[in-house]
Amino acid sequence: MARRSSKAGSVVAGLLGWAVIIVIGWMIVSSFLPPPSGGGGYYDDDWDMGVDGNGTHVQCVDGEWSNSGGVQGACSGHGGVR
């Protein structure tokens, strides 16, 4: 008996394929964007301002961001400064 292909199944597979492409594309694009700043948002409350709070924005080797640039030990738990 010949197996019939399901048109609905191929449509779902096609949509899933496009969703994966869009998500991967956004991940690549967002890796080049600076971290959010200002405006009193979620990130401002949780942002690590470093020892004296006067550090600069730096990106760590693992992709995390820190405000401890210029402070000894910046990104020490994330592989160092990129």
Side-chain angles (χ1 to χ4, degrees):
M1 197 189 266
R3 184 176 175 170
R4 294 184 337 186
S5 65
S6 167
K7 187 170 187 171
S10 61
V11 169
V12 170
L15 291 174
L16 183 61
W18 277 109
V20 168
I21 290 169
I22 290 169
V23 168
I24 291 172
W26 174 248
M27 290 171 61
I28 292 169
V29 169
S30 65
S31 69
F32 293 102
L33 299 175
S37 62
Y42 170 80
Y43 293 99
D44 291 335
D45 297 336
D46 294 338
W47 203 255
D48 177 19
M49 292 302 289
V51 176
D52 58 5
N54 294 321
T56 59
H57 272 99
V58 292
Q59 189 171 20
C60 305
V61 172
D62 67 355
E64 292 291 322
W65 288 89
S66 173
N67 265 347
S68 300
V71 178
Q72 185 175 359
C75 296
S76 60
H78 299 277
V81 176
R82 183 181 277 183

